[in-house]
Amino acid sequence: MSEQSVNEVDKKEIAPMPTKEIGGEELVLEPIPEQPQDPSKVSLEERLPEEIDLADPELYFNRELSHLQFNARVLEQAMDENHPILNRLTFLCIFSSNMDEFFEIRVAGLKSQLEYSREKNGPDGMHPKKVLSLISEQAHKLVRRQYRILNDIIFPKLAAEDVKFIRRSVWNEKQATWAKRYFRDNVLPIISPIGLDPAHPFPRLANKTFNFVVELEGRDAFGRENGLAIVPAPSSLPRLVKMPDDVSEGGDNLVFLSSIIHAHADQLFPGMTVKGCFQFRLTRNADLEVDSDDIGVDLAGALRTELQSRHYGSSVRLEIADNCPTHIIDSLLKQFDLETQDLYKTDGPVNLSRLMAVLELVDRPDLMYPPFSPGLPRKLASSGGIFEAIRQRDYLLMHPFESFAPVIDFLSDAAKDPYVVAIRQTLYRTGARSPIANALVEAARNGKEVTVVIELRARFDEAENLALASRLQDAGAIVVYGVVRHKTHAKMILIVRREGTELTRYVHLGTGNYHAGNARLYTDYSFLTCDKEIGDDVHRVFQQLTGMSKELKVKKLLHAPFTLRDRLLDMINREAENAQKGDPSRIIIKVNSLTEQRLVQALYKASQAGVKIDLIVRGICTLRPGIKGISSNIRVRSIIGRFLEHTRVYYFYNNRNPQVYLSSADGMDRNLNNRIEVAFPLQDLKLSRRVKKELELYLADNTQSWVLQSDGSYQLSKPRKGEYRSAQRTLLSDLADSTR
């Protein structure tokens, strides 16, 4: 994409996202419900500052309900007419996938607390049973809205562009003949209907598998008359099929596998009468719980064993076609030990995340975001080599607007360089066959000392990481799995290169994962340096990860779980002290989530002292802004757009001597207290000013930003005509498709 066309996209007049009703239902970004308060208790606004306990539950939003609101903001992107229509469909699919994980992990966790009598109230003071009730209420509204957006807006708009989803009720004769043949040749040979009777108990259905419950009438050849059967849809078959051009009248014509099975269900039960066929899907607890006391000496072996049971955790949610009779629904709820609040009736396919297949089946680039070429600093692309470039100065890249290629080149060149003697790296999510993995394998085979710290427990990437570990070990690399009770989430590469009579350390530090695909979808920073003290610090962190030692002092990095939280608190408190003395003060923090209670309390105190605080929190935020006398100086906004916001930045004005730290860590308890994380300073004044400028772009965004209100609701920014500002569009225009 040319620089001119990028700018044309940026200058396009952006209308505010519509908030019109869908099927009579309003926008659902509602306030987060609070715990009922004692009516005799004085409200927060009426209390004197010295009377306020910063641990008061009234000061905190519920974590899970805040998480649900993030998913709601993602869903609303499907309504934003500034996104191309296929990308709007993608947001709908992402919402569906997000909700799956929300139920698999967060709802499942709350249910487990109740099941095992381990209820624990969070800082908001809300009991898990109450939280589950509120989740059900809000989630049902979101799911209804999701299907109304799909049926009333997305499908019609795609049809207008000749991308049609053909329902079986409107198949023409040719299409019906084709569907019958497809069923006969592709489905019937591998599908296994299961009639329910004492000899055929209810099958054990894996998590999120696609199934049908079929109501039957009549007796079979053995005289059996039960009335119900279960038909698991073959996992090997695509959920969406493209019809051949010769059976349709132009355009792209797609049909759901569910429609094909539904239309031919009678062929699965010859001689029986099919009274009804209804699709359903069961969501189970998918959180792996590897007990550290049972691991012994083999974390990988324990994880492999646990992965086998992931698909069969306790039931959490039942999704089923909305026309399914009540008596069948009641039977399924009883079978899965679920309650009515766990039931979600769907007006369409139960597995909407599978609609992502449309992007592969339909070749319509005109219905998607235009492509772009990430930018690349000229000196990093020069023939002098990447090590020569880094020796001259530090480099900061912002993905996806700037290329991830230098990070891959950093490793690839090291693998081939005869002067490189050692490579160390942490890996959280990257893929067993990724360019990063390939470079590490090559380096090991070339005789480099390669040591890789792989976090096996990266959620839903465990199997991939086990495969990656095996591949690296086969190549001769040393592979370790970090620290048992602390996930290794830090993003670090250390390359040791012999230069003359000395060994020089080259370092990459990042806010995101070493995954080239994610680097085109997530916003993240990459930092390349050969600063001696940072190199020494990274070396010490690796020593702790691969060996055993007491806490090793680091000079420039902030290192969780040892120094990161406390240093962040110190810097927040320093801003508060400066404000109290009348000196200028400012805090800007950009993270994915903010929940750590001590961090929140420190921000409240800084606000009370007069510090202006801007928080850019993409997802969960338990801090309550805008409370007079407590958080009236705090503004919180969430940016949701084309790219997933993933950078973590901590900015402190520091009495005219700004300090800027980039980090792998969010403002969460797990990041600051229970993980291996690092935050690294930007010492180069030019780089720190650049990051501050980019933060200001996000603070000025009025087209993709949602502002958190004191009642927990999110308000979408609505720019005046001609005053449209989008941080992501501006960064795309400024950084992409250019060599600087």
Side-chain angles (χ1 to χ4, degrees):
M1 184 176 180
S2 68
E3 186 171 0
Q4 180 182 3
S5 56
V6 171
N7 288 327
E8 285 172 356
V9 170
D10 192 51
K11 291 174 182 176
K12 174 187 173 184
E13 193 166 274
I14 307 170
M17 190 174 76
T19 57
K20 60 186 177 184
E21 297 179 2
I22 300 291
E25 194 158 301
E26 301 260 356
L27 196 72
V28 288
L29 301 192
E30 301 174 353
I32 295 178
E34 303 173 29
Q35 276 285 75
Q37 300 299 323
D38 183 347
S40 64
K41 189 176 180 181
V42 178
S43 69
L44 288 170
E45 290 80 0
E46 295 174 325
R47 296 179 222 170
L48 296 173
E50 58 270 18
E51 297 175 333
I52 296 172
D53 179 5
L54 294 182
D56 192 315
E58 288 185 71
L59 291 174
Y60 300 88
F61 295 129
N62 178 266
R63 182 195 193 283
E64 317 305 348
L65 296 175
S66 180
H67 191 167
L68 199 55
Q69 282 202 325
F70 164 66
N71 290 341
R73 296 195 295 280
V74 172
L75 175 60
E76 290 311 308
Q77 300 307 303
M79 286 286 291
D80 189 344
E81 295 176 356
N82 296 300
H83 299 305
I85 187 60
L86 281 179
N87 293 110
R88 292 169 67 179
L89 175 63
T90 300
F91 279 113
L92 200 76
C93 296
I94 293 171
F95 167 79
S96 185
S97 179
N98 285 355
M99 290 296 283
D100 284 350
E101 184 172 341
F102 181 74
F103 277 90
E104 289 172 295
I105 305 299
R106 305 312 310 177
V107 173
L110 292 169
K111 283 178 170 285
S112 293
Q113 288 186 38
L114 296 177
E115 181 180 358
Y116 297 107
S117 299
R118 296 175 179 171
E119 298 94 332
K120 183 180 179 182
N121 294 1
D124 60 285
M126 200 175 294
H127 191 275
K129 189 172 184 178
K130 175 65 173 176
V131 177
L132 282 171
S133 175
L134 292 169
I135 285 173
S136 177
E137 178 185 326
Q138 296 294 318
H140 276 91
K141 291 179 180 180
L142 288 171
V143 170
R144 285 196 298 271
R145 184 171 179 81
Q146 175 190 26
Y147 281 94
R148 284 171 176 167
I149 292 173
L150 178 68
N151 293 320
D152 297 350
I153 293 182
I154 302 298
F155 279 165
K157 284 186 175 293
L158 283 171
E161 298 287 351
D162 275 339
V163 178
K164 290 164 282 192
F165 294 79
I166 312 299
R167 299 180 183 274
R168 59 192 175 89
S169 60
V170 298
W171 288 347
N172 61 34
E173 186 176 348
K174 287 184 178 180
Q175 290 170 336
T177 301
W178 170 85
K180 184 176 182 178
R181 186 168 58 249
Y182 184 93
F183 179 82
R184 182 194 66 205
D185 296 342
N186 297 283
V187 181
L188 192 58
I190 58 176
I191 201 166
S192 297
I194 303 168
L196 301 181
D197 68 9
H200 300 82
F202 201 101
R204 192 183 185 197
L205 303 178
N207 180 36
K208 296 188 299 185
T209 52
F210 181 34
N211 307 278
F212 294 86
V213 57
V214 181
E215 188 173 22
L216 301 171
E217 186 174 73
R219 293 179 182 272
D220 73 357
F222 298 96
R224 296 175 298 183
E225 184 181 21
N226 190 299
L228 287 181
I230 300 298
V231 181
S235 59
S236 59
L237 293 179
R239 299 305 188 242
L240 197 61
V241 184
K242 187 174 181 179
M243 286 184 164
D245 292 341
D246 60 2
V247 304
S248 302
E249 298 177 358
D252 295 290
N253 296 275
L254 308 170
V255 61
F256 290 101
L257 177 66
S258 57
S259 294
I260 296 174
I261 293 177
H262 201 148
H264 303 93
D266 57 332
Q267 295 186 36
L268 300 173
F269 306 94
M272 306 287 285
T273 300
V274 174
K275 295 177 62 179
C277 180
F278 313 99
Q279 56 179 304
F280 73 94
R281 190 173 73 140
L282 179 68
T283 307
R284 295 183 180 273
N285 184 336
D287 200 10
L288 293 183
E289 296 183 4
V290 181
D291 190 333
S292 58
D293 295 330
D294 296 334
I295 288 172
V297 295
D298 186 10
L299 174 60
L303 195 60
R304 285 190 182 94
T305 301
E306 189 67 22
L307 275 171
Q308 296 173 7
S309 62
R310 161 173 275 171
H311 300 301
Y312 298 100
S314 57
S315 304
V316 176
R317 173 184 59 167
L318 174 64
E319 298 168 280
I320 195 163
D322 60 2
N323 62 341
C324 184
T326 302
H327 69 278
I328 295 179
I329 290 176
D330 291 343
S331 175
L332 291 175
L333 288 175
K334 183 178 180 180
Q335 173 66 38
F336 300 131
D337 194 24
L338 293 173
E339 300 177 7
T340 303
Q341 72 174 17
D342 304 316
L343 171 70
Y344 290 80
K345 296 182 179 181
T346 67
D347 182 16
V350 296
N351 50 349
L352 285 187
S353 58
R354 294 298 188 96
L355 279 171
M356 289 287 277
V358 174
L359 304 184
E360 298 177 3
L361 295 171
V362 174
D363 184 20
R364 292 293 301 274
D366 57 309
L367 303 182
M368 299 183 67
Y369 296 125
F372 69 94
S373 298
L376 182 65
R378 184 176 291 108
K379 289 190 177 180
L380 276 180
S382 67
S383 58
I386 196 164
F387 297 114
E388 174 63 28
I390 297 172
R391 266 200 309 274
Q392 294 179 16
R393 66 179 179 89
D394 296 344
Y395 285 88
L396 184 68
L397 303 171
M398 190 181 194
H399 316 303
F401 315 107
E402 293 178 292
S403 177
F404 188 69
V407 181
I408 297 174
D409 293 343
F410 185 55
L411 269 181
S412 297
D413 288 3
K416 301 178 183 70
D417 192 321
Y419 299 105
V420 169
V421 296
I423 299 173
R424 296 176 184 173
Q425 182 169 6
T426 59
L427 291 176
Y428 194 74
R429 303 183 196 275
T430 188
R433 299 288 169 181
S434 67
I436 292 288
N438 293 341
L440 291 169
V441 166
E442 182 182 7
R445 288 174 176 167
N446 287 342
K448 316 296 183 188
E449 294 294 331
V450 177
T451 303
V452 184
V453 181
I454 297 180
E455 181 46 70
L456 293 181
R457 295 159 297 174
R459 185 175 289 150
F460 298 118
D461 275 346
E462 298 94 344
E464 187 77 15
N465 285 349
L466 284 166
L468 172 61
S470 296
R471 186 181 179 216
L472 289 171
Q473 288 169 330
D474 290 344
I478 298 171
V479 176
V480 297
Y481 305 129
V483 182
V484 169
R485 292 178 178 84
H486 294 76
K487 284 188 179 182
T488 302
H489 195 248
K491 312 304 188 296
M492 306 182 297
I493 300 174
L494 176 66
I495 293 174
V496 182
R497 189 171 188 266
R498 187 175 299 281
E499 296 176 352
T501 59
E502 297 183 352
L503 293 176
T504 302
R505 294 188 175 110
Y506 292 85
V507 170
H508 171 271
L509 296 166
T511 66
N513 301 308
Y514 291 110
H515 192 294
N518 287 352
R520 292 301 299 260
L521 302 173
Y522 295 7
T523 69
D524 271 308
Y525 281 115
S526 277
F527 180 61
L528 294 161
T529 185
C530 64
D531 180 272
K532 186 178 186 308
E533 290 185 332
I534 288 181
D536 290 345
D537 283 355
V538 172
H539 170 72
R540 290 189 176 93
V541 175
F542 273 112
Q543 277 187 301
Q544 285 190 320
L545 287 172
T546 61
M548 297 185 71
S549 66
K550 295 288 187 182
E551 180 184 348
L552 298 174
K553 292 187 179 298
V554 293
K555 295 180 180 178
K556 291 185 177 179
L557 297 186
L558 308 182
H559 181 203
F562 304 109
T563 62
L564 177 53
R565 185 201 67 211
D566 290 343
R567 285 290 291 119
L568 288 176
L569 294 177
D570 288 344
M571 287 186 279
I572 293 171
N573 293 336
R574 184 184 59 204
E575 294 299 314
E577 292 170 2
N578 288 339
Q580 288 172 334
K581 291 187 293 187
D583 293 329
S585 59
R586 181 87 187 278
I587 295 172
I588 307 174
I589 295 176
K590 185 175 184 293
V591 288
N592 297 332
S593 295
L594 176 63
T595 63
E596 212 276 344
Q597 193 170 6
R598 281 165 289 192
L599 200 63
V600 171
Q601 290 180 359
L603 291 169
Y604 282 149
K605 290 178 181 177
S607 172
Q608 289 176 314
V611 181
K612 182 183 177 183
I613 302 170
D614 280 295
L615 306 176
I616 307 165
V617 185
R618 183 196 79 205
I620 305 165
C621 182
T622 59
L623 178 147
R624 186 177 170 188
I627 304 173
K628 184 179 178 181
I630 302 172
S631 57
S632 51
N633 288 314
I634 302 177
R635 295 185 301 171
V636 181
R637 68 181 59 230
S638 171
I639 307 293
I640 309 289
R642 173 177 179 176
F643 307 110
L644 181 73
E645 289 299 330
H646 200 247
T647 53
R648 289 93 162 195
V649 184
Y650 297 88
Y651 170 90
F652 304 94
Y653 188 67
N654 191 29
N655 201 9
R656 301 179 180 84
N657 184 28
Q659 286 185 297
V660 179
Y661 282 87
L662 307 182
S663 183
S664 58
D666 283 309
M668 304 179 74
D669 181 75
R670 70 184 188 191
N671 296 96
L672 301 179
N673 305 315
N674 299 307
R675 284 185 173 183
I676 310 298
E677 305 270 18
V678 296
F680 49 96
L682 293 182
Q683 303 166 105
D684 184 294
L685 189 58
K686 184 177 179 180
L687 295 183
S688 65
R689 284 175 176 169
R690 170 192 161 176
V691 170
K692 171 62 167 18
K693 180 181 177 182
E694 288 166 354
L695 288 173
E696 295 289 358
L697 286 177
Y698 283 103
L699 295 177
D701 190 300
N702 60 12
T703 64
Q704 296 176 309
S705 63
W706 300 76
V707 181
L708 178 58
Q709 309 300 303
S710 61
D711 64 357
S713 62
Y714 277 84
Q715 181 177 316
L716 177 64
S717 298
K718 295 182 179 180
R720 298 175 182 174
K721 188 173 182 179
E723 297 181 0
Y724 307 116
R725 295 185 294 273
S726 166
Q728 291 189 0
R729 286 175 181 267
T730 301
L731 290 167
L732 198 59
S733 175
D734 291 348
L735 299 177
D737 196 26
S738 60
T739 302
R740 301 177 306 284

